[in-house]
Amino acid sequence: MPSPLSPVIALALVALPLGFGWFRSPGPLPQPAAPLDNGLARTPPMGWNSWNHFGCDVSSRLIRETADALVATGMRDAGYQYVVIDDCWQVARGRDGRLVADSVRFPEGMKALADYVHVRGLKFGLYTDAGRRTCQGRPGTYEHEEVDARTFAAWGVDYVKEDWCYAEGLDAPALYARFRDALARAGRPIVFSICEWGSNRPWEWGPATGNLWRTTGDIADRWSSVLALLDLNAQYALAAGPGAWNDPDMLEVGNGGMTDDEYRAHFSLWALMAAPLMAGNDVRAMSPETRAILLNAEVIAVDQDSLGVQGMLVAENAPDLQVWAKRLADGSRAVVLLNRSGLASAMTTTWWRIGLPAGPARVRDLWARADRGTFTEKYSATVPPHGVVMVRVTPEP
Ligand code: GLA
């Protein structure tokens, strides 16, 4: 008869594979899948997508004007590269099996539009759906994976977002893998953006299948939505890395539903989480405040850091007062002091909390764009309600 395990050994056997042992919440760990090897999105993709601001009101003219504005405003040079048309560009499937673009809204067709975008040093993206129809009822890619991948490649598409509407009863990991393989066969480097809203545990199979995968439902242009998506996306930090990113959905910065403090917080947290930075506003008509947020090079650098770590929540000193930190390639830490409450609050982080040894470290405030000095074990600041202070802490040699 086998001898019963001692309770201590039994507990250790259960806890050891969990890595951090006792601190982790129970439940299955993400399965480390081999990363998709298309060589793309080594840092989180950046660009613009039509959906958040324009919905179905997309046209050639909008895309051309947006491409021009991305160049004129300096957004392209700041890293916003992909110009992506979301739902509603397609109206039918032709007799040859290919998707047909709306000829009234896109009279010159997608190839000519992609050329226009490419000439401006930008890249071109389109939306489709892995199911039978898109969320707005347009033709979906289901059972047309090969022809759609070839069509997109022939048009010069560099980025495909694939949604998950009208997919009842279908197998998400299998269908996204099928389109991944069709894209690979089509022979053009295409960033693959999986959009099934976190409904089939994409953090487990996404890294082997796409370059990014949504972890949440759709964002809305309000503070409660930013916080809800932050909390969801934060759970899967260990699945992210170069070429494979958690996607808490596109940016709402500049769309009018939040204060500038809230938009700064939204942008800071997305950067800290190494989220894709897809602007979702009308870049042809941005306020100076919106521009200053989207074009903050030091915050963008945190998002685009080559180490590819997704930052995490490291302290909650009082309800609603959170410290988030991200390790960067040069050994420094990006830190977001997040005040979720409605009252301005003094907040502090210690070096210990952000994974640095005690000792002198330089603190740079990324929104004030000011050096705050050298501190030896902690940093404190007053954080506005529904806002952040974001700093970079660099240990001195
Ligand atoms: C879904 C997606 C959104 C957007 C719309 C378009 O809701 O999650 O990001 O693409 O469809 O219909």
Side-chain angles (χ1 to χ4, degrees), residues 51 86-87 127 135-136 161 163 195 197 214 218 249-250:
W51 183 254
D86 208 277
D87 210 344
Y127 161 103
C135 294
Q136 303 303 315
K161 169 178 171 182
D163 214 338
C195 176
W197 324 301
R214 284 271 297 276
D218 288 6
D249 206 0
M250 303 168 297

